[in-house]
């Protein structure tokens, strides 16, 4: 490799790495669904909720004091994004399920209302994009089709 090429290579490597390491910019992405079977997880007929609210919160692990908080809404595919400018190092960061605009699907599934998020590069993670687990609301009454799906998703006894 020539000197010029080596320089160019180094320069482009720095352009890719520096923003993530120095500016500490992170993107958190997740989805919010309506558990229309009340199974407790996503299925092939799960629908995703537009306009659901979600909060991203980072707390001090020692005294649980809130150090960072942001709120957003899901788009038409039930997807939300948080862009976070700073590194949250040893804080504990979570996405928290907010409110659902769907009248018959607005009760948070207690087992699926929090998703942990990584907002630090100090642990050696350079990837600034993180997908977090989906969170969901329970429909008031399971759809009829769910009976057929039951055997597929739950091991038969
Ligand atoms: C977290 O809380 C502890 C105990 O109050 C404190 O000593 C520490 O400095 C805090 N950490 C940050 C990053 O604020």
């Amino acid at each position: 490799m020539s000197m010029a090429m080596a320089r160019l290579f180094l320069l482009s490597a720095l352009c890719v790495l520096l923003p993530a390491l120095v500016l500490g910019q992170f993107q958190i992405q997740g989805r919010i669904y309506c558990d229309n079977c009340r199974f407790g997880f996503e299925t092939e007929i799960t629908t995703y909720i537009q306009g659901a609210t979600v909060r991203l919160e980072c707390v001090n692990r020692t005294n649980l004091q809130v150090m960072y908080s942001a709120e957003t809404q899901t788009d038409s595919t039930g997807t939300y994004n948080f862009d976070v400018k700073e590194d949250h190092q040893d804080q504990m960061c979570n996405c928290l399920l907010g409110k659902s605009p769907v009248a018959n699907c607005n009760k948070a599934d207690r087992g699926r209302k929090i998703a942990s998020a990584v907002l630090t590069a100090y642990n050696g993670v350079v990837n600034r994009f993180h997908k977090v687990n989906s969170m969901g609301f329970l429909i008031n009454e399971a759809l009829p089709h769910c009976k057929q799906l039951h055997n597929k998703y739950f091991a038969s006894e």
Side-chain angles (χ1 to χ4, degrees), residues 60-65 67 88-91:
N60 176 329
R61 280 181 196 277
T62 311
N63 59 13
L64 299 184
Q65 193 186 341
M67 308 298 284
H88 285 270
Q89 297 183 50
D90 56 354
Q91 293 169 19

Side-chain angles (χ1 to χ4, degrees), residues 131-157:
K131 260 197 171 142
V132 303
N133 291 337
S134 299
M135 297 187 287
F137 293 93
L138 292 169
I139 199 168
N140 291 347
E141 207 172 324
L143 300 181
H145 185 59
C146 298
K147 285 197 178 73
Q148 281 155 258
L149 290 182
H150 195 275
N151 289 343
K152 179 171 176 174
Y153 289 100
F154 293 91
S156 49
E157 292 91 65

Side-chain angles (χ1 to χ4, degrees), residues 102-151:
V102 181
N104 70 343
C105 199
N106 60 14
K107 309 231 174 11
D109 181 347
R110 292 176 60 188
R112 300 298 299 271
K113 64 175 197 173
I114 184 164
S116 68
V118 178
L119 284 174
T120 183
Y122 279 75
N123 55 10
V125 177
V126 181
N127 191 353
R128 55 173 231 99
F129 177 77
H130 291 277
K131 260 197 171 142
V132 303
N133 291 337
S134 299
M135 297 187 287
F137 293 93
L138 292 169
I139 199 168
N140 291 347
E141 207 172 324
L143 300 181
H145 185 59
C146 298
K147 285 197 178 73
Q148 281 155 258
L149 290 182
H150 195 275
N151 289 343

Side-chain angles (χ1 to χ4, degrees), residues 31-32 47-52 73-80:
R31 290 186 94 185
I32 295 180
T47 52
Y48 293 83
I49 301 177
Q50 178 176 16
Q73 289 197 358
T74 54
D75 65 15
S76 60
T77 67
T79 306
Y80 64 87

